Amino acid sequence: MLARLRREFDIADLVLYLIGLGLLIAIVYGSIVTLSSGKYTTAQWLNFIIFGLAQGGIYALIALGYTMVYGILGMINFAHGEFFMMGSFGAFFTTAALAEMGFLERNPILSILLMMVVAMTVSAAVAVLSERIAYRPLRRAPRLVPLITAIGVSYFLQYTARGLFGSSVKAFPNIPALSGAVQLGPIAIQRSQIAVFVVVALMLLSLYFIVQRTKVGRAIRSVAEDKDAAALMGVDVDRTIALTFLIGGIMAGAAGVMYGIVFRQASFWMGFVPGLKAFTAAVLGGIGNIAGAVLGGISLGVVESIGPSLFLDGLGIAAPHQLKDAIAFTVLVLILIFRPTGLLGERLSKRA
Amino acid sequence: MALLEIQNLHVYYGQIHALKGIDLHVDQGEIVTLIGGNGAGKTTTLRAISGLLRTPEESKIKLQNEELTRLRAHHVVERGVIHVPEGRRVFARMSVQENLTMGAYARADRSGMDGDLDFIFQLFPRLKERRAQLAGTLSGGEQQMLAMGRALMGNPKVLLLDEPSMGLAPVLVEAIFDTIELLNKQRGTTILLVEQNALMALQIASRGYVIETGHIVLSGDARALSTDPRVREAYLGG
């Protein structure tokens, strides 16, 4: 009897579930205390959510690169955050130059488009070159090898950016068309956030269309499922993998612009934390799953934005907003423990 | 003249010499079968022909006298050599329709594709019924039909079939072999068939090759092979 019980309830599992339960109680208790204290107004909560959605949209764009590369190569590309950083620098230098010329004031929409094009091109180029130079030669190496290489590429790009652009934080010039807020009933939405929503929605829709409805998208999905079978259909596997990096890079570049618009800064280390967060988002949604990356990114953004106030304020923690990164990575750990396949992930099964 | 001609085909897996100089040819409109036991090199031969494996300098693979040797797999497909791999390898997360569309990936002629799709749906009505269904949810027999339909969408000059009967119930094996024969008779599709089920394969083939540990040990007329005592003993259960 006891032996059977021991077999079914492994002591390690029990500890894990107790930790999970403890966290759950803390979250529920904290939330109840916060909400009943009435410290925040409804409008403030809505603002947290809107900020979280914008932040989450940026995570989602970055997370797509992680998830698509994982889907096609089974590899975590830890340099992906740096592709985002490089794109953000592209956007920064573009706006700085446009602001200098006065073009930014006169043609804000065109300027933003130009920023997008430059950032996407830079990120995509860095992504494709990294694949070609650092990852492709290791395609048949053991899994750990490309992973370590990715960390190497990540540092290479960080310190290249530091060497080229210096270690100071670059401040984006003010874009008048995107400053200030729009009043929508009781809530004020920042214009920059509206821009993020529009761009993220357009990028996600185009990606969905490309992956689900075009020949290129079918090629990507076929390579992700079975490289040999895809090659036997006439798909150029190497080109398709490069193309996946290209698309991931484009998404990261767009995220770089959005980050610049919302936070108005760029620096050589800016890829690290958002990169890890986006990776968390990809795992949260189910790595390899495109819809999962979007869902994971947006959920993570919202949890991170409302979490500190909602869960922690009521517990009497002095500076809850300093703990938002802790919340994000607690989410990662909990997901890895309790649902390793993520929200939308399927059971990982080896194909015959 | 041989449509597909293989001369002195060698394949190495690291230190292991898997194919030790295979010679075989397939003429226009023929069904040729390559039979042999497990690990004899049947699948390796097909994978080498379709460009999935590297071959050394001295090996030659020719289609209508044009060299295919050392072309990468997607270029071999463009020349019209289409390989239905062992274990079907359909794209499980795509619909039946999308799998068939993937089969025509290397093609540009729309009208020919539409005609082939009609033909495939006529040949395998089950695929038409299930066109919107995910391929991973099909039964083994249906997946084999899909794998063959997908290959036909590529308008093959030569069809390479690897173990189409594997893991199927006897009734389905009959049906698949009937279809192979029908394809050959009706459309004149040239087929190189790899099988463990030597008896069935020799019944529909015109010629056969017997492969053992990377060598062709016997070859000739299919009927003669099926009565050859050495073949009967080794592959047909005496």
Side-chain angles (χ1 to χ4, degrees):
Chain A
M1 178 70 193
L2 196 70
R4 224 186 96 212
L5 213 68
R6 289 265 300 264
R7 225 179 313 128
E8 283 173 14
F9 288 101
D10 191 353
I11 195 81
D13 277 353
L14 192 67
V15 172
L16 286 179
Y17 276 93
L18 283 177
I19 292 173
L21 192 68
L23 274 171
L24 196 68
I25 291 170
I27 286 170
V28 171
Y29 174 76
S31 305
I32 290 171
V33 174
T34 309
L35 288 176
S36 58
S37 76
K39 186 173 168 190
Y40 298 98
T41 63
T42 314
Q44 274 172 311
W45 285 121
L46 285 173
N47 272 328
F48 284 139
I49 291 173
I50 288 163
F51 179 80
L53 288 174
Q55 175 78 72
I58 296 172
Y59 290 158
L61 288 180
I62 309 174
L64 284 166
Y66 278 103
T67 227
M68 287 180 72
V69 165
Y70 183 85
I72 210 157
L73 285 182
M75 166 197 145
I76 307 291
N77 174 23
F78 276 116
H80 191 69
E82 270 56 59
F83 301 168
F84 154 79
M85 175 270 290
M86 286 293 189
S88 205
F89 268 108
F92 165 74
F93 286 115
T94 313
T95 33
L98 291 174
E100 191 107 326
M101 294 187 299
F103 191 82
L104 190 62
E105 298 252 3
R106 277 177 278 127
N107 276 313
I109 301 283
L110 206 60
S111 299
I112 293 164
L113 283 178
L114 210 59
M115 277 165 83
M116 300 276 302
V117 170
V118 172
M120 288 177 184
T121 311
V122 170
S123 290
V126 173
V128 170
L129 284 174
S130 303
E131 191 273 331
R132 187 69 193 84
I133 297 168
Y135 302 146
R136 192 181 296 180
L138 302 171
R139 191 82 46 79
R140 286 170 203 286
R143 288 171 82 99
L144 200 56
V145 176
L147 188 76
I148 293 165
T149 307
I151 295 170
V153 172
S154 168
Y155 276 101
F156 174 82
L157 293 173
Q158 268 186 43
Y159 285 90
T160 303
R162 185 179 195 172
L164 293 176
F165 315 131
S167 35
S168 61
V169 175
K170 307 277 181 288
F172 273 68
N174 181 34
I175 304 175
L178 293 182
S179 43
V182 177
Q183 201 67 34
L184 259 180
I187 45 169
I189 304 183
Q190 300 294 318
R191 284 172 197 270
S192 56
Q193 289 170 343
I194 295 174
V196 171
F197 294 140
V198 171
V199 169
V200 170
L202 285 176
M203 297 300 292
L204 295 182
L205 284 176
S206 348
L207 182 75
Y208 178 83
F209 178 78
I210 289 170
V211 171
Q212 292 299 326
R213 295 269 180 271
T214 66
K215 188 169 175 175
V216 162
R218 271 193 299 275
I220 290 176
R221 283 184 290 143
S222 70
V223 174
E225 256 199 70
D226 187 335
K227 285 177 193 53
D228 279 355
L232 293 178
M233 302 297 112
V235 176
D236 184 341
V237 173
D238 282 340
R239 213 182 109 235
T240 306
I241 291 172
L243 202 73
T244 307
F245 274 85
L246 183 95
I247 293 175
I250 288 175
M251 296 289 153
V257 177
M258 297 303 104
Y259 191 90
I261 284 174
V262 173
F263 299 101
R264 307 256 315 266
Q265 49 177 265
S267 62
F268 77 92
W269 71 82
M270 69 181 283
F272 182 66
V273 171
L276 273 185
K277 297 274 184 68
F279 169 65
T280 305
V283 173
L284 174 61
I287 190 123
N289 183 316
I290 288 179
V294 176
L295 180 68
I298 290 172
S299 327
L300 187 70
V302 172
V303 168
E304 208 185 85
S305 169
I306 62 171
S309 316
L310 184 62
F311 310 149
L312 301 177
D313 221 322
L315 300 176
I317 288 168
H321 281 273
Q322 297 301 321
L323 288 171
K324 75 180 174 59
D325 291 355
I327 290 182
F329 296 119
T330 306
V331 168
L332 176 64
V333 173
L334 291 179
I335 283 286
L336 289 175
I337 292 172
F338 293 106
R339 198 175 156 80
T341 56
L343 297 175
L344 300 186
E346 316 146 40
R347 280 257 153 262
L348 297 171
S349 62
K350 276 260 170 263
R351 272 186 305 277
Chain B
M1 190 193 76
L3 180 62
L4 180 70
E5 183 156 25
I6 288 133
Q7 292 166 347
N8 197 21
L9 180 62
H10 289 266
V11 170
Y12 297 86
Y13 293 116
Q15 298 291 333
I16 299 160
H17 195 177
L19 292 187
K20 300 160 187 159
I22 301 276
D23 294 290
L24 66 80
H25 68 97
V26 185
D27 292 335
Q28 178 76 49
E30 262 191 319
I31 299 182
V32 171
T33 183
L34 180 62
I35 56 180
N38 261 331
K42 304 188 299 290
T43 296
T44 303
T45 306
L46 292 194
R47 287 173 64 85
I49 296 172
S50 58
L52 290 173
L53 297 174
R54 305 271 126 232
T55 51
E57 284 291 320
E58 67 267 26
S59 302
K60 293 267 177 285
I61 301 166
K62 289 184 203 159
L63 181 78
Q64 291 167 322
N65 262 335
E66 195 191 350
E67 278 254 21
L68 297 181
T69 331
R70 282 176 296 284
L71 283 184
R72 292 173 61 208
H74 61 273
H75 289 129
V76 174
V77 176
E78 285 163 9
R79 308 291 154 94
V81 178
I82 302 200
H83 180 172
V84 180
E86 189 180 2
R88 352 231 187 267
R89 308 280 280 269
V90 296
F91 299 112
R93 291 195 294 261
M94 291 189 195
S95 67
V96 168
Q97 178 76 54
E98 279 185 309
N99 268 276
L100 293 172
T101 311
M102 277 309 298
Y105 186 85
R107 271 175 88 170
D109 57 320
R110 252 241 93 98
S111 56
M113 276 158 58
D114 292 342
D116 282 349
L117 190 65
D118 288 341
F119 173 74
I120 290 158
F121 281 155
Q122 214 182 317
L123 198 61
F124 305 115
R126 285 299 273 279
L127 295 183
K128 190 172 189 176
E129 286 164 33
R130 311 205 159 194
R131 61 201 294 177
Q133 204 171 315
L134 289 184
T137 65
L138 298 179
S139 71
E142 289 164 345
Q143 289 192 11
Q144 185 60 48
M145 293 174 198
L146 180 56
M148 286 173 61
R150 186 176 67 172
L152 291 176
M153 283 300 286
N155 192 25
K157 282 186 188 146
V158 183
L159 195 57
L160 311 177
L161 294 175
D162 195 349
E163 304 269 4
S165 74
M166 194 174 72
L168 299 184
V171 186
L172 284 169
V173 175
E174 292 270 357
I176 292 289
F177 275 90
D178 286 349
T179 312
I180 295 169
E181 218 177 351
L182 184 95
L183 274 177
N184 176 254
K185 292 234 166 77
Q186 256 191 25
R187 303 203 111 198
T189 309
T190 307
I191 295 168
L192 176 57
L193 171 66
V194 155
E195 259 298 336
Q196 290 217 27
N197 192 337
L199 183 64
M200 295 281 287
L202 288 171
Q203 274 174 10
I204 62 167
S206 53
R207 290 186 303 114
Y209 293 86
V210 179
I211 184 170
E212 251 171 40
T213 58
H215 293 284
I216 299 286
V217 291
L218 266 178
S219 66
D221 182 68
R223 200 160 313 155
L225 279 179
S226 61
T227 54
D228 189 298
R230 287 165 295 178
V231 174
R232 294 202 70 89
E233 194 184 340
Y235 306 107
L236 303 177

